[in-house]
Amino acid sequence: MYLHSAYGLWNFMCFGLKYDKLCDKYPDYEKNNIQMSEKRPALIFKVITECQTTKARVGKMTVPHHTVDTPVFMPVGTKGTLKGILPEQLKQLNCQIILGNTYHLGTKPGIDILQKAGGLHKFMNWDRALLTDSGGFQMVSLLKFAEINEQGVKFISPYDDSECMLTPEYSIKIQNTIGADIIMQLDDVIKTTTTGTRVEEAMHRTTRWLDRCLSTHQKPNEQSIFPIMQGGLNAELRSESGLQLTQRKVNGYAIGGLSGGESKDDFWKMVNVSTNILPKDKPRYLMGVGFAVDLIVCSALGVDMFDCVFPTRTARFGCALVLTGQLNLKQGQYGNDTAPIDEFCNCSTCKTYSRAYLHQIVTMETVGCHLLSVHNIAFQMRLMQNIRESIKKGEFPQFVQQFMLKVYPTKEYPSWIVDALQAVNIYLA
Amino acid sequence: MIVKMKFFTESAARCAARIGTLSEIERMPDLIFETPLLLIYTKRGCVPHLTKDVLKMVTTEQQFLSVSLPSTITMAEFVKQTPSFTDFVSMQEYPTFLSINDPAETTTSGHQEKHSISIWAKHGRHILSPDSYMDIVETFKPDMYVALCDGDTDEKSSAKRISKSIERSKTQLETCLLRHNSSNTIKSKGILGAIEGGYNLHARERCINYLKDKTLLGYVIDGLHKNGPQVQKINTDQIRNVIEHTINLLPTDKLRVSMGSWNPATLVDLIDMGVDVFDSSYAYLATEKATALTFLCDHQPTDNHHTSYVISVAEDKYADDFTPICKSCECLACQKYTRAYLHHLCHCKELLLLVLLMIHNTHYYLQFFKTIRKHIKEGTFKEFQKKIHLIYDKKEES
Ligand SMILES: [Zn+2]
Ligand SMILES: [Zn+2]
């Protein structure tokens, strides 16, 4: 059964390739733009408050399914579900937007089922905002023989060894079917630490693929394609990428090619370069970032959206997020600990359960995993809310200083944090 | 004067379906539970797959939980730091019934001694004497519990084994009752005696003769099976004689409990013979097999999916079935999610599958009990019983 359904999809994907070759005409992007002006745009972004010290800002991003407060953290629900947490619970956690993975959803349940279901929102009973990735990153990182050429990502089907191709057009076609509010262009994914001409090639190709994505897009009134800024760790290339992308008509931007093993120094500098180039009136999405200090530093650098699998993944291994890192509740020391995970956390887990009881059930009962996931998502949501509130109150720099002091009580701040914050006028003494 | 948990029934008939009430639970004096009652099955202090906030989405009504030793005995030393088991597991608002074996897990046989019995927890064997058992009871403080007993018998047990089980259970009950009545922390709780005797009518009689004069809230009809999924396969014919014989000997004013994952057809027959309390391990085991209960959905003749007893969401035919598990079910899973989605979750081995199935199956089984009580009250139980048999027996044939 497993093989059967998956096999069907790969055939479809390969078919998609032939189809792409046969049809050179696609619905005209200009025409879609006319339609767009008649209806409400697929995304309205309003900056509510700008921090007077840093580049941080609070915004409201209205997409067809929800109005999202930014800076926002987006939990990852890879296959149309989020680690045993009901959408009803996610709403209680004040979760406004979640992420789905196109590669996984295209494999199972497959676009045929998603089409029949009327899109992922209906299929999974999530009526708030959704974002999907292009599938390219997952392919390159999950499949052994993925290879990129001008046409797209070529890969060998793990089911029948046939050669298949994920083109920019096909990625958008799947994402049109999934129906997320925000969708990602297919980008030319390279290792973050790649250097040399390949970085430049990937950057230019990503722009060319953006144009192909935009011109094939079927639902510009309902879904916004975000281009992905490339350029690796090279500030000039990144600026060039930004320049090219900002010439296209889009509703927001993703900062790609980071959070992949580069040094923290390179990381923050590239984020800083990226947000300097990107227009202020569009949301900026930094892909794959979710640790608390990173969220704070990058919010200060002007990023509006984040995603990461870490909070829910770590819950599965019995770990709960706290300000200073994480508690591994499997450890014996928690057996007699009657305190909640975090006494200041107002999530249903912390209000109800002790560490001692969680110690008994983590990794034994699925409920243990659910309870930690609830707390970990609540932790991320509360952090983002605190960031937004402090910006609104004009107290963001103080908030950042106090937060860092709590995380590093001995004031042994990592130098990259000191430098990054100094770049936006926050000084850690 | 201490309040003691009470069971009351107006029914004077010995071996017939009856309505009763359980009340005056010390911690919750305002609560009244109607019997036939379904105890919600718990493992390690939680309803499997359901966090407390999700459990409250399943039912807003007050529920009674069943707790068993194999999954909780290792918690005892930590429970001591808190006022009671329900405090430790944060289920304070629910009354609990403590049983010795886990109704959903097949009991590991053997190693029962005259003065002790063995409990098999995940990490090995625990030997319980009546005193060490009562220490746990005093720590856990369940609202209702069964005296230590040796129920390690089934239809295959020899006369000698049965005889031993009766003797041991008798000795163990003596000590438990003594401790119960002299303990300020638990004397107000409901204590039940276990009726052993396997499938031997004479042995059952001997056991009841002994128990009759004891001050007990009621009885657990024990020693019929060794728990776990096998219990689902037992049909009434296999147990009718022993149950009828047992219940006919019991006083009518005492509670009768039968633990185990009885299938719905056998369950309605047990109710028809006068059993008052059951646990929901059947709904849990259905969930673990990735199945959804549908045996009450047969009144929708236009929908051919509804003719079966359960549906197995892994089956291919559900891949594009955008209907709920059961159109007339009011649970969250049926209101908001489709079979196609459950099928998808099943094939991705996603945890949410078990959450949604457990929501449905638990809700469904609670509704089943509500319907049973309604039919008993309205005098239509026999027809309902027939209807359940019709559905179940049809499945048996196919
Ligand atoms: Zn919490
Ligand atoms: Zn239901």
Side-chain angles (χ1 to χ4, degrees), chain B residues 325-326 329-334 360 363-364:
Chain B
I325 300 163
C326 171
C329 180
E330 288 173 352
C331 84
L332 177 71
C334 291
H360 168 78
H363 177 92
Y364 206 77

Side-chain angles (χ1 to χ4, degrees), chain B residues 327-346:
Chain B
K327 280 173 191 152
S328 49
C329 180
E330 288 173 352
C331 84
L332 177 71
C334 291
Q335 294 293 306
K336 298 278 185 186
Y337 302 86
T338 62
R339 296 171 177 196
Y341 185 58
L342 294 169
H343 176 86
H344 164 66
L345 294 175
C346 183

Side-chain angles (χ1 to χ4, degrees), chain B residues 201-243:
Chain B
L201 303 189
H202 181 68
R204 290 269 163 195
E205 209 166 321
R206 255 170 65 209
C207 191
I208 292 165
N209 280 338
Y210 163 76
L211 285 171
K212 250 186 197 165
D213 309 323
K214 307 288 176 202
T215 316
L216 298 162
L217 175 68
Y219 309 97
V220 175
I221 305 172
D222 202 30
L224 290 167
H225 56 72
K226 296 189 178 175
N227 299 297
Q230 288 303 316
V231 177
Q232 296 169 96
K233 294 183 185 153
I234 300 175
N235 55 47
T236 313
D237 297 342
Q238 298 166 260
I239 53 168
R240 184 181 296 282
N241 277 346
V242 58
I243 298 283

Side-chain angles (χ1 to χ4, degrees), chain B residues 288-307:
Chain B
E288 295 303 292
K289 281 188 299 187
T291 57
L293 302 177
T294 53
F295 63 92
L296 293 172
C297 306
D298 70 319
H299 58 274
Q300 299 164 352
T302 48
D303 187 343
N304 10 342
H305 291 315
H306 274 130
T307 49

